[in-house]
Amino acid sequence: MKDSNKKNQISRRGFLPLLGGGLMLPLLGFGKPKKEESDETDEYQTLLKSDGTAVRVKKSVLANSKIIEKNISNKSLLGWLKNK
C-alpha cells in the first residue's frame, strides 16, 4: 500500500528538476514572438525637409510623385528654406 502511495506523490527530489526545467523554458526561446516579414525589397532614399530634418522615403513613392519645379536654383531653394 505504501508503494502505490509513494508513486503518486512528488518528492522534493522529483520536484526540483521539474521546477528547474520550467524555469529554463524561457531561456530556450519558445516564447519569442515571430518577426513579421516586411517588404525589404523596397529601397529607401533619404531626403531633407524644410526644417533640416532627414526623412526616409520609399523610392516607389518618389517615382509616383508630382514634380512641381524640376530645375530649381540655389537662390530660390534658400528662399524656400527660409520661408518654411
Side-chain angles (χ1 to χ4, degrees):
M1 186 111 177
K2 288 185 177 183
D3 292 334
S4 65
N5 207 11
K6 279 189 172 183
K7 288 182 182 179
N8 291 336
Q9 290 181 348
I10 299 176
S11 65
R12 277 185 256 159
R13 285 188 176 179
F15 179 71
L16 288 176
L18 289 175
L19 179 66
L23 293 174
M24 290 293 290
L25 285 177
L27 298 176
L28 295 177
F30 292 120
K32 290 184 181 176
K34 294 181 180 178
K35 295 181 181 178
E36 294 181 17
E37 293 183 22
S38 61
D39 293 339
E40 294 294 328
T41 58
D42 290 341
E43 294 181 15
Y44 290 91
Q45 185 172 1
T46 305
L47 301 175
L48 288 176
K49 291 186 353 181
S50 62
D51 59 353
T53 57
V55 179
R56 288 184 62 197
V57 181
K58 289 183 182 179
K59 286 188 176 182
S60 60
V61 172
L62 288 175
N64 298 332
S65 65
K66 179 182 173 185
I67 299 172
I68 297 172
E69 192 173 335
K70 191 168 188 170
N71 294 325
I72 189 168
S73 67
N74 283 341
K75 190 173 183 179
S76 61
L77 176 64
L78 289 174
W80 178 76
L81 290 174
K82 288 180 184 178
N83 289 337
K84 298 285 178 166

